[in-house]
Amino acid sequence: MTVSETQLAAERASQAQEWSKAASLWEQVYQTQQTAPINYHLVQALVADQQYVAAASYASEFEAQYLATDGAAELYITALIANHDFIMARIVIMARKSSGWTKTMLATLDAAETNAEQTVATTLTTTMRHFYHLSDQPARQHADSLQAAHHLTYQRYLTAAKFLLVDPFLHPLTRVEVLYTLYNLRVPEMVKMQWLLNDEMLTLCPAKLSVFGQDETSMAVYRVLKARFGNQDVFLYENLRELLQLQLMYLYPQAKAVITDPAAWIDVLVWQQTGQAVTVMGTEIEKMMKIQQRIQQFSLDLQQ
């Protein structure tokens, strides 16, 4: 069949509620036309056919579109809840403007979490224990463990996250990832976090933090980098931009406490990567050098 014929067959299967057939046909269409409307039809068929893992995975590819309307968002959340991906389901709910829909969805999610506590409590306890002991694992394995923790209920995740944020043995980038998850969950209460700089302990409210990379300091260093290399050496610019993004992740949410001079910070970054000498030295420059070197060492630790 041609793509048009396959799509027509998929539409007919959906209308007849032959969901397994519809999902298979829509998937074939999607392989050639990866658009938001086709994605929605595919996810709709997969959810109806109870293929929730595939449905959530496909929906994540067009997340912005699923956040745009109540119906599409509910479809995405249905797949996530069915997968017991409770944390991501709550993040999707909280990413939308608060409304009556929000209250309804949170009630649905709370009910699903209560049911999970009654039916898979042992699994939740095992997952939570593994999450608690994240610092005992090699840093390169943390990504998988962080993803597994998304299957915890909100209260279990929050309890473990608060512990991890002050765990001095946890890789600092992992601490930031946990904190950013709390930001996406819009956690309204104060938490403590051991920060990268001098192992300082911060007290902050996740819900009141800024979007990563959107604070004034981060945007300032991005502007300096683009002004210097954006139109001169695109390859170098992209490499340095990736490194800068990683540095800012380490420094989240207090980049402004470290990057006191955006231009000087870029000078040091260029020196680290190209060997180009820093022409102006001083106490602040030396401090930034030490911090960037420390970040570089932490990044090397991720490869071990």
Side-chain angles (χ1 to χ4, degrees):
M1 288 191 295
T2 65
V3 175
S4 297
E5 290 171 336
T6 303
Q7 181 168 339
L8 182 59
E11 291 170 353
R12 288 173 176 169
S14 291
Q15 291 167 1
Q17 297 187 359
E18 297 174 352
W19 296 117
S20 181
K21 179 180 179 181
S24 177
L25 290 168
W26 281 119
E27 193 162 27
Q28 292 176 46
V29 176
Y30 187 65
Q31 298 311 313
T32 59
Q33 298 179 32
Q34 295 185 5
T35 64
I38 299 298
N39 179 283
Y40 182 82
H41 286 301
L42 171 57
V43 171
Q44 190 176 45
L46 288 168
V47 168
D49 197 41
Q50 299 183 5
Q51 297 186 51
Y52 300 116
V53 174
S57 178
Y58 279 120
S60 68
E61 295 177 10
F62 282 90
E63 189 167 282
Q65 281 73 14
Y66 282 90
L67 291 173
T69 65
D70 291 353
E74 185 172 347
L75 181 66
Y76 187 16
I77 291 163
T78 297
L80 291 168
I81 290 177
N83 292 335
H84 282 197
D85 194 344
F86 300 126
I87 297 303
M88 191 62 207
R90 192 172 295 269
I91 287 173
V92 171
I93 293 170
M94 301 309 292
R96 305 188 72 230
K97 185 178 180 180
S98 181
S99 65
W101 176 91
T102 306
K103 294 179 180 179
T104 300
M105 285 294 99
L106 285 175
T108 299
L109 177 56
D110 288 342
E113 290 187 341
T114 299
N115 181 65
E117 290 287 1
Q118 296 170 350
T119 58
V120 291
T122 301
T123 300
L124 289 171
T125 299
T126 300
T127 302
M128 187 176 182
R129 185 183 304 117
H130 194 65
F131 192 38
Y132 255 115
H133 295 285
L134 204 54
S135 60
D136 293 338
Q137 306 168 34
R140 65 179 181 276
Q141 295 178 10
H142 287 182
D144 290 340
S145 297
L146 289 170
Q147 187 60 45
H150 277 204
H151 294 281
L152 292 172
T153 57
Y154 174 72
Q155 288 302 328
R156 285 180 182 260
Y157 186 93
L158 182 58
T159 298
K162 287 180 178 179
F163 171 77
L164 291 172
L165 289 177
V166 296
D167 183 352
F169 302 106
L170 188 63
H171 193 279
L173 201 57
T174 302
R175 282 201 298 268
V176 169
E177 291 187 50
V178 171
L179 176 67
Y180 204 63
T181 298
L182 297 189
Y183 161 73
N184 284 320
L185 288 167
R186 302 299 189 266
V187 173
E189 60 192 83
M190 303 300 288
V191 300
K192 291 186 179 298
M193 176 192 180
Q194 184 166 321
W195 191 47
L196 173 73
L197 182 60
N198 300 325
D199 296 324
E200 179 184 350
M201 193 71 72
L202 303 177
T203 300
L204 40 81
C205 175
K208 294 182 179 179
L209 298 177
S210 62
V211 176
F212 171 73
Q214 295 301 304
D215 60 284
E216 186 177 334
T217 300
S218 296
M219 291 190 291
V221 286
Y222 278 130
R223 284 196 298 269
V224 171
L225 182 65
K226 186 173 183 179
R228 290 193 189 178
F229 300 102
N231 297 319
Q232 299 176 21
D233 189 330
V234 177
F235 181 74
L236 178 61
Y237 169 68
E238 290 300 331
N239 284 339
L240 291 175
R241 194 177 190 283
E242 286 184 14
L243 289 168
L244 178 58
Q245 183 177 30
L246 182 61
Q247 290 179 336
L248 292 171
M249 286 180 68
Y250 275 102
L251 298 176
Y252 185 85
Q254 292 277 23
K256 65 180 180 181
V258 175
I259 306 177
T260 53
D261 183 337
W265 184 268
I266 296 302
D267 285 341
V268 176
L269 175 62
V270 172
W271 164 72
Q272 273 201 328
Q273 299 306 314
T274 68
Q276 181 178 322
V278 178
T279 55
V280 180
M281 294 298 290
T283 304
E284 287 301 310
I285 291 284
E286 291 175 1
K287 187 185 297 183
M288 285 189 272
M289 279 184 175
K290 289 179 180 178
I291 293 169
Q292 290 201 32
Q293 288 168 348
R294 191 176 184 189
I295 289 173
Q296 189 173 45
Q297 184 56 56
F298 276 125
S299 293
L300 290 174
D301 293 342
L302 286 172
Q303 302 170 20
Q304 299 178 4

